[in-house]
Amino acid sequence: MTGEDRVAAGWERLNARLVKIGRPDVYDEAFRRTGTLVNAPVSRGSTVLFPDLDTMRRVGAERYEHTPIYGAMGSAVQHDLERAIAAIEEGRDTQIVSSGLAACTTALLTWTSSGGHCLLPDSCYGPTRRFADTMLRRFGVEATYYDPMISEEGLRQLMQPNTQVVFAESPGSHTFEVQDVPMLARVAHDGGARVLLDNTWGFGIFMPFTHGVDVSIQALTKYPGGHSDAILGAITVGSEEDWHMLRDAAIQLGQLAGPDDCWLTLRGLRSMGVRLARQARTAWKVACWLRDRGEVAQVLFPAFSDCPGHEFWERDFSGAGPLFTVVLTSGHDRAAMERMINGLRHFGIGASWGGYESLVLPTTGGVSRSLPNALPDGPAFRLAIGLDEATDLIADLESGFSRL
């Protein structure tokens, strides 16, 4: 299998599942009587009416069953999306929340408590770090940042008697370290802690519960939505105990998502495998071209052998996402990189990724780390590869290099 085929394989294998999950069964008895729509309709509303009080009480006790109870506890289309995400992740249940960051913060609030301690990778998403350093600290939870490439012995030394959570993000934001998740899970579980994984980059190509994760977090804004028009997050768990804890916390925090965003995400989910396979192939071509440029010190792409943790990507992932970082040689400065970026025409300047459009975002100057030497020496920028032609993107980047 070529490198290009390898990065696309997992996405291509998803297609048969994506066309069926979270949809009405067209072969059930109701369909044979009346027929049904291909896509579930959007139902909007705050109040659910019941025929009598006994029914209201019975349905009100079904908060763990994805049952419409009250608008603030989720709509029918939200529950369809929750079933679909749980099926892709091969988890027990999913809670949809308002954003990817809300998925990170709700999960941390669910499984930490005052007097507790959590371990987070130094490469984690910046807003997750900000939440841990501010609100979580005010609630009496201590956070320690660890090297994402830490050894098993090193991680065991950081575990404390009150460690409740080992958080992981694989690959890491901007620096793309792929973590040894099974090792993290082994150490965490030995210490009585849960493993929470931000699996946004690996959604669909990394099976979290197979590798020992307890809670998998995704920004559905990225791959599943796919069209840069919906903000959503998801938290998926593998056990009934964790599902009850999560569902109770989500209700208490008022976490939900609007039915229109849920419907848009379900629609985007149908084409996710096709889109991401194409985008991964294009990303491979662009990354290979960049790797051979004299202006480039390194391309931080998990599918490349020199990316930190590549061996774990090779072992645990069935494909690669179309997002990576480009590090320029130290002879270039930040101003030169910004000149290059400002003149690009096929790459929009924007902070998100996973949609159909190609994006560029500077890393230098916008990323915080706690550990020394955690960031590249040269200026760096992140590329999200969309559905553009590889030749157009390469020509755009070649023109950009002329401005360095």
Side-chain angles (χ1 to χ4, degrees):
M1 184 182 293
T2 67
E4 182 182 331
D5 290 338
R6 172 72 172 83
V7 298
W11 302 115
E12 292 169 342
R13 288 199 291 270
L14 273 176
N15 290 321
R17 299 177 65 200
L18 294 176
V19 298
K20 296 184 183 303
I21 56 176
R23 281 180 55 198
D25 182 357
V26 298
Y27 298 106
D28 68 8
E29 183 179 350
F31 172 74
R32 289 196 294 271
R33 290 199 314 268
T34 64
T36 190
L37 293 169
V38 170
N39 293 306
V42 179
S43 55
R44 304 177 186 88
S46 58
T47 300
V48 177
L49 296 178
F50 302 94
D52 52 59
L53 290 173
D54 285 343
T55 303
M56 185 178 185
R57 282 188 284 266
R58 176 180 56 78
V59 173
E62 295 177 1
R63 64 186 183 277
Y64 305 121
E65 307 304 324
H66 303 279
T67 300
I69 298 171
Y70 177 64
M73 295 170 72
S75 62
V77 69
Q78 175 179 318
H79 300 322
D80 287 340
L81 180 58
E82 287 167 341
R83 284 186 279 267
I85 299 303
I88 294 169
E89 291 271 89
E90 298 181 355
R92 187 196 188 281
D93 268 297
T94 294
Q95 172 70 48
I96 300 297
V97 295
S98 56
S99 68
L101 176 58
C104 294
T105 59
T106 300
L108 284 167
L109 288 171
T110 301
W111 285 286
T112 61
S113 58
S114 181
H117 171 251
C118 63
L119 289 168
L120 295 96
D122 197 36
S123 56
C124 71
Y125 179 47
T128 303
R129 173 190 292 267
R130 185 168 62 241
F131 176 79
D133 289 345
T134 55
M135 190 170 293
L136 209 58
R137 181 173 294 167
R138 291 202 303 271
F139 289 164
V141 179
E142 178 191 3
T144 300
Y145 293 96
Y146 66 90
D147 184 338
M149 303 312 298
I150 196 168
S151 67
E152 181 167 345
E153 180 183 359
L155 187 65
R156 289 188 185 279
Q157 291 175 356
L158 291 179
M159 292 288 290
Q160 300 177 13
N162 62 336
T163 301
Q164 297 166 323
V165 162
V166 175
F167 198 93
E169 183 175 330
S170 182
S173 285
H174 296 289
T175 43
F176 288 89
E177 300 92 340
V178 183
Q179 296 192 258
D180 187 353
V181 173
M183 179 274 286
L184 299 178
R186 184 166 59 249
V187 174
H189 294 159
D190 285 350
R194 284 177 172 84
V195 176
L196 277 55
L197 169 69
D198 186 334
N199 194 34
T200 300
W201 191 92
F203 178 66
I205 53 173
F206 178 85
M207 295 296 102
F209 303 105
T210 301
H211 295 94
V213 171
D214 299 293
V215 181
S216 182
I217 297 160
Q218 310 85 33
L220 302 184
T221 308
K222 313 307 193 213
Y223 303 151
H227 293 75
S228 302
D229 55 7
I231 302 287
L232 280 186
I235 309 166
T236 304
V237 295
S239 74
E240 183 176 15
E241 177 189 1
D242 283 338
W243 169 237
H244 287 187
M245 291 180 68
L246 171 62
R247 180 64 174 147
D248 287 342
I251 292 170
Q252 291 155 17
L253 291 167
Q255 275 294 348
L256 77 156
D260 294 279
D261 281 353
C262 290
W263 190 91
L264 285 170
T265 304
L266 269 174
R267 184 180 66 172
L269 202 60
R270 307 304 173 201
S271 64
M272 186 180 78
V274 175
R275 284 188 284 105
L276 270 295
R278 162 68 186 268
Q279 290 170 250
R281 289 182 182 277
T282 304
W284 175 264
K285 293 173 184 175
V286 173
C288 287
W289 180 84
L290 284 163
R291 189 167 53 174
D292 293 335
R293 294 289 303 199
E295 303 92 339
V296 174
Q298 189 177 11
V299 179
L300 296 170
F301 186 32
F304 285 171
S305 60
D306 61 344
C307 187
H310 166 78
E311 65 273 23
F312 306 131
W313 174 83
E314 187 70 46
R315 181 190 68 190
D316 298 337
F317 287 72
S318 63
L323 185 79
F324 55 84
T325 285
V326 180
V327 183
L328 299 176
T329 56
S330 55
H332 300 97
D333 61 18
R334 181 174 170 182
M337 178 186 69
E338 291 184 358
R339 273 199 311 276
M340 173 188 179
I341 289 172
N342 284 334
L344 295 175
R345 293 294 174 262
H346 287 279
F347 289 90
I349 300 174
S352 193
W353 49 273
Y356 62 86
E357 75 287 358
S358 297
L359 296 172
V360 59
L361 185 71
T363 295
T364 302
V367 177
S368 298
R369 292 289 187 267
S370 299
L371 302 177
N373 304 316
L375 293 172
D377 292 332
F381 55 91
R382 190 183 71 186
L383 293 180
I385 304 300
L387 292 173
D388 305 84
E389 290 291 337
T391 51
D392 291 338
L393 298 178
I394 288 171
D396 201 20
L397 290 166
E398 187 164 31
S399 173
F401 281 133
S402 71
R403 293 188 294 275
L404 278 175

